[in-house]
Amino acid sequence: MTHQEAMEYLLAIPMFQQVGGKAMNPGTEKIEALCEAAGNPQKQLRTIHIAGTNGKGSTAHLIASILMATGYNTGLFTSPHLHDFRERIRINGALIEPEEVTRFIERMQKDIEQIRPSFFEIVTVMAFDCFARRGTDIAVIETGMGGRLDATNIISPLISVITNIDYDHTEWLGDTLQKIAGEKAGIIKPQTPVIIGETRPETAAVFIQKAHEGQAPITFADKRFACINAIKHEEYQTFELQSLTDGYLFHLNCDLLGDYQKKNILTVLTAAEVLNSVGVSLSRQAVEQGAERCARSTGLQGRWQVLNRAPYMVCDTGHNANGLQQTMRQINTCRFRKLYMIIGFVRDKELGRIFPLLPKEATYFFTRPSCPRGLEEQELKRKAEDSGLSGTAVAEVNEAIEKAVTMAGPEDMIYIGGSTYLVADIDMGKWGKGNISEKTSL
């Protein structure tokens, strides 16, 4: 079997990003069977488990970067990927080798066809298998969508992390914050420390009760640290932070530029403290180095990623009301003459929660993520116009960028977002090099 054949076999299995809930298997029965067939590699791993509505990807990458700076052989499993399937599985920042993907599919093909696991279950076991074979010291494991019934929830982690709770995937996780929190709280394991990134009155009791039932030590990150200020530089930002236990003030540089990283960094600092308490030694220097070079060391993309400076062009994978609310706040702090918004969503997003957050004075290009779940651009335009947003429907995101760049001046801003899959469609070879002015001197 060639690598291309292995990928064709794997990608022929329906995945959530393509078909939504039809791609999911409720419960952990099938992944447990597939892990058993693979030799239960998850039992050979020391892991950190991360769930949450927003911020879990950034948090996972930041923790992995800190572990790498310490010298640990570090695995990182996240989803979805943007440009290359292998982005989901990394060791010390490097993508899983094509040969490893091929060998796993060859070895497990009969079991896959007998057990009939989901795409995500197969990839999760592939990650466990890769990390075990490569002898990782610690693997950072991000959940897929939920927690309690998530395929990753068969691990016994050193610590569990839940970044925050808000409305997303309500069709599967529940229509109240308490129900969603209950699903995410499913990753809390007995006598295993858990960090909650954000304290919300609606959800705190859910986590406290779950932790109490399992005698799991629980720490709320925003009760442990505070971010006093964030100073923006061109390539990084400096957080002014305070320990709430002793009042100690300190600074931390981070190469992730989103304002929402002010929340994530509190979760990461708390996780680092708790990891030290369970025998994972992380020095202050390693925390500083890991945060300062997170994107460079782990390959994280799509989080307030600056593609160009004049015009100022940014893409971001924020895709629900909570994430987009934070992103819109950051746009409001930017200086620009005119704002161009290139947006696209998948069909199951609650646009009634999202449209009121978007600036009405912007010029919009309504487009469609290329995945089958993508909301058709003309339908998006009609729905947006009903909410007072006006613009043009464009079939594909790169065509929309071309139009926006042609119209925009050097003092303008172009934002691209609304869906992870829309950001994944961006031609980074064309737009991600910061040389737009050279390409479009009209």
Side-chain angles (χ1 to χ4, degrees):
M1 178 180 285
T2 66
H3 178 63
Q4 181 177 345
E5 289 170 338
M7 288 306 304
E8 289 174 353
Y9 177 85
L10 183 60
L11 295 176
I13 299 169
M15 66 179 80
F16 181 83
Q17 70 189 72
Q18 301 288 343
V19 299
K22 296 177 182 178
M24 298 190 300
N25 289 324
T28 59
E29 178 182 347
K30 290 192 175 183
I31 192 170
E32 288 173 352
L34 192 61
C35 277
E36 181 73 26
N40 283 316
Q42 80 283 4
K43 295 183 178 180
Q44 304 172 42
L45 303 174
R46 293 201 302 169
T47 58
I48 296 166
H49 204 190
I50 302 177
T53 302
N54 292 305
K56 60 183 185 291
S58 295
T59 299
H61 282 78
L62 280 162
I63 292 175
S65 185
I66 291 168
L67 292 168
M68 290 162 57
T70 307
Y72 288 111
N73 187 22
T74 304
L76 176 61
F77 176 60
T78 59
S79 62
H81 62 275
L82 289 182
H83 307 292
D84 186 330
F85 162 81
R86 295 182 298 129
E87 295 169 18
R88 294 170 179 254
I89 305 172
R90 297 177 184 265
I91 295 182
N92 298 326
L95 308 184
I96 182 176
E97 294 292 337
E99 294 78 13
E100 293 176 284
V101 176
T102 305
R103 287 197 298 268
F104 178 84
I105 295 299
E106 284 181 327
R107 178 164 61 92
M108 301 301 297
Q109 183 174 354
K110 290 183 180 178
D111 297 296
I112 290 169
E113 291 170 0
Q114 179 180 355
I115 297 168
R116 300 180 66 82
S118 68
F119 171 87
F120 186 71
E121 288 169 325
I122 296 169
V123 179
T124 300
V125 180
M126 183 187 298
F128 294 158
D129 185 74
C130 175
F131 297 153
R133 289 175 179 273
R134 293 276 209 99
T136 56
D137 297 314
I138 302 176
V140 182
I141 308 295
E142 178 193 8
T143 62
M145 181 174 62
R148 182 176 63 92
L149 299 177
D150 193 76
T152 63
N153 203 29
I154 61 170
I155 58 177
S156 299
L158 297 168
I159 65 170
S160 303
V161 179
I162 301 174
T163 56
N164 69 355
I165 298 297
D166 215 286
Y167 294 100
D168 198 17
H169 301 302
T170 54
E171 181 180 349
W172 299 282
L173 301 181
D175 57 1
T176 69
L177 293 178
Q178 290 86 351
K179 289 178 182 178
I180 297 169
E183 291 298 317
K184 306 286 186 182
I187 73 165
I188 300 175
K189 301 298 193 300
Q191 299 179 323
T192 300
V194 57
I195 295 96
I196 309 299
E198 184 177 342
T199 306
R200 293 191 66 159
E202 306 95 325
T203 60
V206 176
F207 297 129
I208 292 170
Q209 180 180 346
K210 178 68 175 178
H212 177 74
E213 290 171 356
Q215 297 181 307
I218 183 169
T219 306
F220 287 84
D222 54 4
K223 303 297 185 184
R224 181 67 186 83
F225 293 96
C227 184
I228 308 301
N229 192 21
I231 303 167
K232 291 289 194 302
H233 310 279
E234 188 168 294
E235 301 294 337
Y236 67 99
Q237 59 181 321
T238 300
F239 298 120
E240 296 181 353
L241 299 155
Q242 183 177 29
S243 168
L244 298 179
T245 58
D246 58 13
Y248 177 69
L249 296 169
F250 59 103
H251 293 78
L252 200 65
N253 294 331
C254 182
D255 65 352
L256 307 182
L257 298 175
D259 280 359
Y260 45 79
Q261 303 300 350
K262 291 187 290 188
K263 293 184 177 182
N264 294 331
I265 201 66
L266 307 183
T267 308
V268 170
L269 289 171
T270 307
E273 279 196 345
V274 176
L275 283 168
N276 272 303
S277 74
V278 297
V280 179
S281 179
L282 300 174
S283 68
R284 179 172 293 276
Q285 182 181 14
V287 172
E288 292 172 351
Q289 291 178 352
E292 188 170 13
R293 60 191 188 204
C294 175
R296 286 169 285 171
S297 63
T298 67
L300 180 62
Q301 297 184 68
R303 274 65 170 187
W304 197 267
Q305 183 175 349
V306 178
L307 305 180
N308 198 71
R309 295 287 173 183
Y312 187 57
M313 184 161 76
V314 172
C315 67
D316 192 90
T317 55
H319 55 273
N320 54 44
N322 178 263
L324 285 165
Q325 182 179 47
Q326 297 178 64
T327 303
M328 294 308 113
R329 285 175 183 162
Q330 185 161 359
I331 287 177
N332 288 336
T333 68
C334 296
R335 298 179 63 182
F336 51 81
R337 183 183 64 88
K338 190 171 183 178
L339 175 63
Y340 296 87
M341 298 279 292
I342 301 172
I343 60 171
F345 299 91
V346 294
R347 286 192 299 271
D348 50 52
K349 289 303 166 188
E350 296 182 88
L351 297 180
R353 295 182 185 271
I354 291 173
F355 284 149
L357 305 173
L358 304 182
K360 288 184 168 56
E361 68 275 10
T363 298
Y364 282 85
F365 294 93
F366 305 107
T367 188
R368 177 186 185 277
S370 61
C371 65
R373 288 170 61 215
L375 180 65
E376 195 268 339
E377 66 275 9
Q378 293 289 351
E379 184 178 353
L380 175 60
K381 180 176 183 291
R382 288 193 297 272
K383 291 182 175 182
E385 286 176 341
D386 290 342
S387 295
L389 308 178
S390 61
T392 305
V394 182
E396 193 268 337
V397 66
N398 291 291
E399 181 186 353
I401 296 173
E402 189 85 54
K403 291 179 180 294
V405 166
T406 301
M407 296 171 64
E411 297 179 352
D412 295 337
M413 179 175 181
I414 302 171
Y415 169 82
I416 310 158
S419 169
T420 300
Y421 311 120
L422 189 76
V423 173
D425 290 337
I426 297 172
D427 182 352
M428 291 296 180
K430 182 175 184 180
W431 306 116
K433 302 298 183 182
N435 58 353
I436 288 176
S437 57
E438 297 176 14
K439 291 179 176 291
T440 59
S441 52
L442 302 177

